[in-house]
């Protein structure tokens, strides 16, 4: 199984960390004295940056395969 899909392991790792990082970021923002609009803007920005990181890791994995 690793011989067939082993090149996707880095992408899988990046995606699995998102499950931990994005809720943690939202929790940290909720603890700040930011209004809801600023919190939403921060979470949306983090999601966009994270999507870029996922796309870059996927492109890197395709180039390595």
């Amino acid at each position: 199984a690793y011989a067939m899909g082993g090149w996707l392991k880095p992408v899988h790792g990046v995606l699995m960390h998102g499950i931990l990082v994005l809720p943690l970021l939202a929790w940290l923002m909720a603890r700040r004295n930011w209004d809801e609009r600023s919190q939403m803007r921060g979470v949306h920005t983090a999601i966009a940056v994270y999507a870029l990181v996922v796309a870059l890791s996927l492109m890197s994995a395709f180039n390595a395969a």
Side-chain angles (χ1 to χ4, degrees), residues 4-52:
M4 298 291 293
W7 60 277
L8 284 174
K9 284 175 66 176
V11 179
H12 181 261
V14 170
L15 288 170
M16 293 302 292
H17 279 87
I19 293 171
L20 299 172
V21 171
L22 292 175
L24 176 64
L25 179 66
W27 179 79
L28 288 172
M29 284 188 202
R31 298 284 182 239
R32 307 286 299 188
N33 289 329
W34 293 358
D35 61 348
E36 186 176 349
R37 184 176 184 162
S38 296
Q39 290 176 15
M40 290 298 292
R41 191 178 314 124
V43 170
H44 288 155
T45 302
I47 290 170
V49 169
Y50 194 72
L52 179 65

